[in-house]
Amino acid sequence: FGDWVTVVGAAKSRKSAITNSIVGCLLSDGFSEVLHFSGVVNNRNILVLDTEQNAPDYYKSQLQIYKQAAIEKGIDPDNFYSFCLTDCRMDERLEFIEYAMEQIGNVGLLVIDGIVDICEDYNDQKGVRKLVDHLKVLTSKHNTLMIPVLHNARSTGSARGHLGTELINKSKAVIQVTKDKDYGYSKVKFEYLRGSQDPPEYNFTHDDNGDLILC
């Protein structure tokens, strides 16, 4: 709690899928291991904010989280809050993050997928630092683990602009997700994990039913 774990990857690399897998394992609070991720939030609240997907795709992704957490259909966990902010303005999204954190309270996990949509200019160093400092104060105040999801820059393959640099500098861990062009599976690699040895790389994909599986 209080740390940041940044997930980066190109478009359609399944970076949102791996992020949802982390949410699924934490929503189970230690009951389920999902794609090698496991952990507990000690019944603290989980807040997921999606700024990219349309409503139908967003809904399907949230159902996948429930399935990975082994939650039966028709049951809504008391500690899970998720919102689609695609149709909101940039300033409204940023305001909503702070509002939701305060109103929900005891937020152990905050996911922002994708964080570039609350940043006016990801290459504006001053604006980026102001945004990152604001989020750092917010997550420190609430002792919240934050997972920002960020696209790689197409030209360099690195985390996008000054925003990517600042997120990496502030993160406890950085997870890189890449997709194999020939076989279609995705690779998970920890760029680094501060204070610990990097976990081994592994591959995953979707099966015929749309479920995530290791490969």
Side-chain angles (χ1 to χ4, degrees):
F1 297 122
D3 288 325
W4 291 9
V5 177
T6 297
V7 177
V8 297
K12 309 301 181 183
S13 61
R14 297 193 180 98
K15 59 185 178 300
S16 293
I18 204 68
T19 303
N20 288 342
S21 297
I22 299 173
V23 175
C25 83
L26 292 175
L27 185 58
S28 76
D29 222 13
F31 180 78
S32 298
E33 179 179 299
V34 184
L35 297 184
H36 294 314
F37 289 100
S38 62
V40 297
V41 290
N42 298 325
N43 292 316
R44 297 186 66 190
N45 293 317
I46 294 173
L47 173 60
V48 175
L49 305 175
D50 191 302
T51 67
E52 297 186 335
Q53 297 186 90
N54 60 34
D57 289 341
Y58 160 78
Y59 180 71
K60 291 178 183 178
S61 71
Q62 303 314 291
L63 291 180
Q64 186 68 34
I65 290 174
Y66 275 40
K67 189 172 185 179
Q68 291 171 327
I71 295 173
E72 298 179 5
K73 290 184 178 180
I75 296 178
D76 287 325
D78 293 335
N79 67 327
F80 184 66
Y81 299 82
S82 181
F83 300 90
C84 182
L85 305 181
T86 307
D87 294 334
C88 297
R89 299 193 314 268
M90 182 181 300
D91 59 328
E92 291 176 332
R93 293 169 184 154
L94 186 56
E95 290 174 4
F96 184 77
I97 294 173
E98 187 165 359
Y99 172 81
M101 293 279 285
E102 294 289 346
Q103 292 297 311
I104 294 170
N106 194 28
V107 176
L109 172 66
L110 168 65
V111 173
I112 305 176
D113 186 6
I115 194 168
V116 73
D117 293 318
I118 63 170
C119 181
E120 186 171 350
D121 182 353
Y122 57 80
N123 267 325
D124 177 12
Q125 191 170 15
K126 184 177 180 180
V128 164
R129 285 187 174 180
K130 183 177 179 180
L131 172 64
V132 170
D133 286 346
H134 177 76
L135 292 174
K136 196 65 179 177
V137 169
L138 187 64
T139 53
S140 296
K141 174 183 176 181
H142 293 273
N143 194 29
T144 299
L145 168 64
M146 186 176 79
I147 302 180
V149 182
L150 181 67
H151 286 295
N152 280 342
R154 293 182 180 180
S155 58
T156 64
S158 301
R160 185 174 289 183
H162 286 298
L163 178 60
T165 300
E166 284 296 313
L167 289 175
I168 289 172
N169 289 340
K170 295 295 191 295
S171 292
K172 174 79 171 182
V174 176
I175 302 173
Q176 178 80 41
V177 185
T178 57
K179 189 173 183 180
D180 186 273
K181 295 180 180 179
D182 296 324
Y183 298 100
Y185 63 79
S186 296
K187 176 184 290 185
V188 175
K189 176 184 178 182
F190 277 76
E191 291 294 323
Y192 65 80
L193 176 59
R194 298 184 193 275
S196 181
Q197 184 177 358
D198 293 346
E201 301 176 11
Y202 64 89
N203 302 325
F204 72 99
T205 188
H206 286 92
D207 63 15
D208 293 338
N209 296 319
D211 296 326
L212 295 173
I213 56 171
L214 295 168
C215 61

